[in-house]
Amino acid sequence: MIGVLVSGEGSNLQALIDAGLPLAAVASNRTDARGLARAEAAGLPARAFELEQHADRNARDREMADWLQLHDVDLVVLAGYMHLLTPGFLERFPDRVVNVHPSLLPQFPGAHAIDDALAAGVATTGVTVHYVDDGLDTGTVIRQETVEVKPEESLVERIHAVEHRILPEVVAELCAH
Ligand code: GRF
């Protein structure tokens, strides 16, 4: 079963819900993540694990992994989850944590990938779905799709559209394995 981690809007989570994938639980590092409300609306168990409520990141991630496994999660999808996961968390789901990122990694890692691509003046950027390791957007690439930067006004929207299409496709393939 799939567990999804969100920090914000949760539009990628919504794409996974709409694709009818076997989602078991949704967790966040923030109580105010709209993704948690989307999960509840879909009838999914949803819970925030705020850093402030725990001794440290290791303790937080341990509790989050316990909760996910209690819900039979064996594949974790980061859908706009904006915290690095601890090695202790990743060891609980070996080679079963994936992320969607709005650039052609290894170009433009980090939290401002679309702005960074615009600032760099590249003609082409894109979307990457990749395995997560303990680096910042450094894990093995599973799928990439290019997106032309121009017209710039619609770049964000076009990148999100690609995310919402390819993330459910890749997750469905991983579920089958
Ligand atoms: C997406 O662009 C994702 O690639 C990035 O954060 C954004 C999250 O959007 N990591 P949402 O929360 O799924 O709407």
Side-chain angles (χ1 to χ4, degrees), residues 8-13 79-82 99-102 114 160 163-164:
E9 185 57 26
S11 63
N12 279 287
L13 167 65
Y81 185 69
M82 305 305 273
N99 181 42
V100 60
H101 182 81
I114 299 176
H160 286 160
E163 291 182 341
H164 299 163

Side-chain angles (χ1 to χ4, degrees), residues 23-173:
L23 307 187
V26 176
S28 181
N29 59 314
R30 301 174 59 116
T31 52
D32 61 352
R34 172 142 186 249
L36 290 179
R38 290 182 192 265
E40 281 162 7
L44 294 169
R47 190 166 144 188
F49 295 83
E50 290 182 293
L51 192 51
E52 299 73 29
Q53 308 295 327
H54 297 85
D56 55 22
R57 289 175 60 224
N58 289 319
R60 189 272 299 279
D61 281 11
R62 191 162 49 241
E63 202 182 307
M64 191 160 70
D66 287 346
W67 185 77
L68 291 169
Q69 288 185 333
L70 203 68
H71 288 88
D72 294 326
V73 168
D74 57 10
L75 174 64
V76 177
V77 180
L78 310 191
Y81 185 69
M82 305 305 273
H83 260 196
L84 280 179
L85 292 165
T86 55
F89 182 96
L90 297 172
E91 282 162 15
R92 300 280 292 271
F93 304 93
D95 298 325
R96 296 293 279 173
V97 183
V98 301
N99 181 42
V100 60
H101 182 81
S103 77
L104 297 175
L105 290 172
Q107 278 194 306
F108 313 121
H112 309 289
I114 299 176
D115 287 343
D116 292 348
L118 286 169
V122 293
T124 304
T125 183
V127 173
T128 302
V129 181
H130 64 98
Y131 287 108
V132 174
D133 61 17
D134 56 8
L136 178 62
D137 300 323
T138 48
T140 307
V141 171
I142 305 170
R143 172 124 31 123
Q144 289 187 309
E145 192 164 308
T146 58
V147 176
E148 294 307 311
V149 168
K150 291 200 166 121
E152 290 184 8
E153 309 77 64
S154 61
L155 178 60
V156 171
E157 197 181 317
R158 288 181 288 114
I159 282 184
H160 286 160
V162 171
E163 291 182 341
H164 299 163
R165 174 166 48 77
I166 72 171
L167 182 64
E169 280 177 13
V170 171
V171 171
E173 284 165 17

